[in-house]
Amino acid sequence: MTSKLLRGRTLSFLRWPEAIDDHSAWRYEEDGGLLIDGGRIIAAGSYAEVLKKAGAGVETIDHRPHLILPGFLDAHVHFPQMQVIASYGAELLDWLNKYTFPEESKFQNAQHGRRIARLFLDEMLRHGTTTVAAYCSVHKSSAEAFFAESHERNMLNIAGKVMMDRNAPDGVLDTPQTGYDETKALIAEWHGKGRQLYAITPRFAITSSPEQMEMAGVLCREHPELHMQTHLSENHAEIAFTQELYPWSRDYTDVYERYGLLGKKSLFGHCIHLSEREADALSQSGSVAVFCPTSNLFLGSGLFDYQRYRRREKPLRIAAATDVGGGTNYSMLRTMDEGYKVIALNGEKLNPFQSFWQLTRGNAEALSVSDKVGTLDEGTDADIVVLDAHSTPGMRLRMETVETLAEELFLLQTLGDDRAVREVYVAGRPAKSAIVA
Ligand SMILES: [Zn+2]
């Protein structure tokens, strides 16, 4: 394997930045170097230091004056919804029935699933996202298509076949038994194959019968190393319907709690309208609340109280995500821009270092993969994004007045999109420039 040396302005986080001047929370090199070999970062530091370790003759890729960061992670996204995104005029439950379920029923056709999986991962890489936690459709073939495409690209992705057996059209339903059997088969075939990770994926309490929820709990007990992903407390009508379907439950979170679905690898999309008891239950179990700002604004679901969740006595672990196709953009930069506004509407601010921590190390920690991705640490996988804050005329002009790294990051978040992503590396291989348009 030939090694290569990336040169540029490297930025990687060590921990959550408490404040905008909390310099010890990140490592920034104005002239930085990353030595990559065998898909991993084997040396990181100043270019001069790393060059010394690499020895003369190493291939150098010069990305100056651009920023080199760990690839972004998206903690909640629906790959079968690429033709649902930008659907007009509905709140959550109507939006599912009117747009999402009919669209996902097309994934009965395995060929359609393969086409969309390919285009989806292209789109993620174009936007600088190197790892996702993805929902597939209910069809086993959709998960096979996703994993095959992800494995082919050597991406680290987390995904699962959705389990849903009621309150949706026949074309998108399984049964408690087929949902269990197909999930088992997919775990056996894909979990741990290359960089692929399986997530047990009951869509949410409304579309799973109590029998299926039991089965999801059994799967979690049989495979405690796996992720579990579902939706929680997104919208008031959803919460009320869940209470009707599970009349014994104390609250929405209690439904998942009783079936044994809370835990450190459990990812709960949305978590907007939680009671204090629910937030405590998520905190105590180490579960992750996933913030999906563009989706929450688009569907009119509500404002996730990011800073309050972080600051409470029993804080929540938080990830950030696009939630495409309820979300309205594939870009994690656009996502954090909208996230900033949601947090502002709650009377708080998220500083740019906190934002970029969240997109990289923060999401990697929330997804329990920070030993592999989300930093530029030596020994981790070389999943990397190269960002250009001069990528549009408006950004170039604004950059004339930018003086600090914090200002540059904030500009990237506020004005940046896929055009700001100059290159992406997946396990050390250039991946954006390799996409055939
Ligand atoms: Zn979702």
Side-chain angles (χ1 to χ4, degrees), residues 76 78 135 231 234 270 323:
H76 180 124
H78 298 260
Y135 289 64
H231 297 82
E234 179 172 0
H270 306 301
D323 191 30

Side-chain angles (χ1 to χ4, degrees), residues 209-219 221 258-259 261:
S209 64
E211 295 71 29
Q212 180 157 71
M213 296 292 282
E214 287 281 357
M215 291 300 223
V218 169
L219 286 164
R221 284 194 294 283
R258 296 276 181 100
Y259 291 109
L261 302 186

Side-chain angles (χ1 to χ4, degrees), residues 89-332:
E91 288 199 354
L92 174 66
L93 298 178
D94 289 338
W95 179 84
L96 286 169
N97 289 316
K98 193 169 167 190
Y99 300 114
T100 305
F101 294 153
E103 182 60 33
E104 289 194 8
S105 71
K106 294 180 191 162
F107 287 73
Q108 291 171 85
N109 176 342
Q111 180 56 37
H112 181 67
R114 285 193 290 272
R115 172 172 182 246
I116 301 298
R118 173 171 55 81
L119 296 173
F120 174 79
L121 291 178
D122 278 355
E123 204 59 5
M124 288 291 119
L125 292 171
R126 285 197 333 98
H127 286 82
T129 299
T130 46
T131 288
V132 298
Y135 289 64
C136 304
S137 76
V138 73
H139 315 97
K140 181 166 176 265
S141 62
S142 75
E144 288 165 343
F146 180 89
F147 281 122
E149 190 65 39
S150 171
H151 184 57
E152 170 80 20
R153 295 165 193 244
N154 199 18
M155 291 177 75
L156 192 165
N157 282 317
I158 302 162
K161 173 204 111 77
V162 158
M163 299 163 70
M164 49 192 295
D165 69 343
R166 67 170 171 179
N167 291 321
D170 287 345
V172 288
L173 292 182
D174 56 10
T175 70
Q177 193 61 48
T178 61
Y180 174 87
D181 292 344
E182 290 176 357
T183 298
K184 289 293 268 192
L186 287 164
I187 294 167
E189 190 181 353
W190 289 105
H191 182 70
K193 182 167 181 174
R195 306 178 77 202
Q196 308 316 307
L197 299 173
Y198 196 84
I200 298 158
T201 310
R203 181 176 215 113
F204 66 153
I206 289 175
T207 48
S208 285
S209 64
E211 295 71 29
Q212 180 157 71
M213 296 292 282
E214 287 281 357
M215 291 300 223
V218 169
L219 286 164
C220 287
R221 284 194 294 283
E222 289 174 347
H223 300 277
E225 75 284 10
L226 295 192
H227 289 86
M228 190 290 305
Q229 56 182 351
T230 190
H231 297 82
L232 170 63
S233 200
E234 179 172 0
N235 149 307
H236 293 296
E238 170 211 18
I239 296 167
F241 191 21
T242 304
Q243 289 284 185
E244 269 175 51
L245 293 170
Y246 298 89
W248 47 260
S249 63
R250 287 174 290 179
D251 47 50
Y252 194 166
T253 303
D254 193 31
V255 177
Y256 297 130
E257 217 172 332
R258 296 276 181 100
Y259 291 109
L261 302 186
L262 271 54
K264 292 186 172 54
K265 297 190 99 173
S266 297
L267 313 171
F268 292 96
H270 306 301
C271 297
I272 297 169
H273 310 286
L274 300 178
S275 68
E276 291 302 315
R277 193 211 76 78
E278 291 180 282
D280 284 350
L282 292 180
S283 176
Q284 276 160 354
S285 59
S287 300
V288 176
V290 187
F291 177 30
C292 307
T294 71
S295 172
N296 298 160
L297 293 171
F298 181 72
L299 294 174
S301 301
L303 305 175
F304 182 98
D305 206 342
Y306 185 101
Q307 297 290 30
R308 186 179 64 87
Y309 285 159
R310 280 198 64 92
R311 268 202 317 264
R312 65 197 303 280
E313 196 177 320
K314 295 177 183 163
L316 293 191
R317 294 174 69 207
I318 296 174
T322 63
D323 191 30
V324 163
T328 52
N329 204 292
Y330 294 95
S331 166
M332 288 305 293

